[in-house]
Amino acid sequence: MNRNPYSRYYVPGPSPWPFLVGISANGSAVGLILWLHRSPSYLLMSMMMGCMILSMFSWWRDLIREGDIGLYTRFAIKSFRDGVALFILSEVMFFFSFFWAFFHNALSPSCELGMRWPPPGIRTPNPSSTSLFETGLLISSGLFVTQAHKSIRAKDYDVGPIIGLLVTILCGIVFFLVQVREYYWNSYTISDSVYGSVFYLLTGFHGAHVVVGTIWLLVSLARLWRGEFSSQRHFGLEACIWYWHFVDVVWVTLWCVVYVWFGGWLYMWWFKMWDGNVYSFKYPDAKPSWYAYIQEERVPSWYKVPDRLKI
């Protein structure tokens, strides 16, 4: 592991880990296809997954060792930052596709859904119950992990960052357990119309990201315990914090959109607040809504309020 003194970047030598990870990923894909065709090979799946985990562990071990002996310059660290930023951007696009599918069906429900959203027969979860508790957990975890970062930058390596990371990890574990409990008590499954499909895809993939973020926090805590971070050198932890804040933002958006707004509860609260009278105008004051850009004389006759209903 020697760095060229005339280069800004460290170029590693030949490594077997990329090749082994590629072979493991290909074998895992083959095992998944066999499982989907109802002829699973559990031996192939277990061997390939075990090989992938060991190869990735060894690959990351080499990366940490290269950083510990000072092979990464500030230019290399900048490339790492750019890579993590692009990775998070790809994750944003990943969740954007699911939100697109959700809005496509929620804003214009088809006749197969009864022209209603949520579809008839779907009893959506209460946003002020379990999901609100999960929202509080993730927002609190974001505050604690930010405090851990500030403590490291202030050269406090003993109390502040360790407590902050421990509490954040605990919040992630509790969030995942509460989400599993919510899945167990939900009255619909992933096969119940497009609502169930999009709901479980959104919340399920977010839960998977919470698990990945929690494992990343555990690794960062172990590295902090071993003294591998300093006030000027802790990009591994900083990248983990970026990822965790991304997970927080996705969940808050998901809770506001899926649970509160398009879960039917916002309209129910509004309906109860006005005691059933959710309209603020009388029929004589009624104006065309989505035909507002059309002149009055060009409004279709079927859209106008009948004279017999006017006061």
Side-chain angles (χ1 to χ4, degrees):
M1 294 184 179
N2 295 319
R3 183 173 66 85
N4 186 351
Y6 301 103
S7 175
R8 294 178 174 180
Y9 299 95
Y10 162 67
V11 180
S15 173
W17 311 129
F19 174 76
L20 291 177
V21 169
I23 293 296
S24 304
N26 182 71
S28 300
V30 171
L32 178 61
I33 293 173
L34 291 176
W35 178 74
L36 292 175
H37 285 80
R38 298 186 179 182
S39 57
S41 175
Y42 296 108
L43 178 61
L44 175 65
M45 287 288 290
S46 58
M47 289 179 58
M48 291 297 101
M49 292 302 297
C51 182
M52 177 178 291
I53 292 173
L54 291 175
S55 301
M56 294 176 67
F57 177 82
S58 302
W59 196 351
W60 291 331
R61 179 203 59 190
D62 290 348
L63 289 175
I64 293 174
R65 287 177 177 177
E66 291 167 357
D68 289 341
I69 63 179
L71 295 177
Y72 295 145
T73 63
R74 61 188 180 93
F75 300 100
I77 297 298
K78 182 181 182 302
S79 66
F80 292 162
R81 291 178 180 273
D82 296 341
V84 173
L86 290 175
F87 166 70
I88 294 178
L89 179 62
S90 69
E91 293 290 296
V92 171
M93 296 295 103
F94 177 78
F95 279 99
F96 178 79
S97 63
F98 291 116
F99 277 109
W100 184 290
F102 183 86
F103 278 109
H104 176 78
N105 292 279
L107 293 175
S108 181
S110 62
C111 58
E112 288 82 1
L113 301 176
M115 307 294 291
R116 289 174 50 191
W117 192 268
I122 297 293
R123 188 178 63 186
T124 58
N126 193 335
S128 60
S129 180
T130 303
S131 58
L132 182 60
F133 175 70
E134 294 173 319
T135 305
L137 276 177
L138 285 189
I139 293 177
S140 302
S141 68
L143 296 176
F144 279 107
V145 78
T146 302
Q147 182 59 38
H149 186 210
K150 290 184 177 180
S151 299
I152 289 181
R153 298 189 64 178
K155 299 183 179 181
D156 175 17
Y157 308 119
D158 299 327
V159 180
I162 293 179
I163 294 178
L165 290 180
L166 281 174
V167 175
T168 305
I169 293 169
L170 179 62
C171 290
I173 294 173
V174 173
F175 177 91
F176 178 74
L177 295 177
V178 172
Q179 189 175 48
V180 171
R181 179 185 178 276
E182 181 187 16
Y183 283 179
Y184 179 80
W185 289 106
N186 274 350
S187 60
Y188 54 92
T189 64
I190 195 172
S191 61
D192 288 330
S193 77
V194 69
Y195 181 90
S197 301
V198 178
F199 175 86
Y200 282 105
L201 283 174
L202 269 172
T203 58
F205 275 114
H206 178 269
H209 282 70
V210 170
V211 172
V212 173
T214 304
I215 295 174
W216 197 348
L217 287 169
L218 284 169
V219 174
S220 300
L221 178 61
R223 296 187 63 191
L224 177 65
W225 186 266
R226 296 178 56 188
E228 298 181 5
F229 293 140
S230 66
S231 60
Q232 300 298 326
R233 181 182 171 278
H234 54 270
F235 176 70
L237 176 62
E238 192 173 358
C240 178
I241 294 173
W242 291 357
Y243 183 83
W244 193 257
H245 285 319
F246 160 74
V247 171
D248 292 348
V249 172
V250 170
W251 175 258
V252 172
T253 306
L254 194 154
W255 180 75
C256 293
V257 172
V258 177
Y259 284 87
V260 179
W261 185 10
F262 286 103
W265 294 87
L266 186 62
Y267 178 79
M268 187 180 300
W269 290 337
W270 183 260
F271 190 86
K272 292 181 179 179
M273 176 180 176
W274 291 98
D275 195 20
N277 183 18
V278 296
Y279 303 102
S280 59
F281 57 83
K282 301 294 185 181
Y283 275 113
D285 303 324
K287 297 293 182 181
S289 56
W290 54 286
Y291 276 103
Y293 65 93
I294 302 179
Q295 299 178 2
E296 290 288 339
E297 59 273 11
R298 296 186 179 182
V299 175
S301 58
W302 57 264
Y303 191 78
K304 295 181 180 179
V305 178
D307 295 334
R308 59 186 177 82
L309 295 179
K310 294 183 179 180
I311 299 176

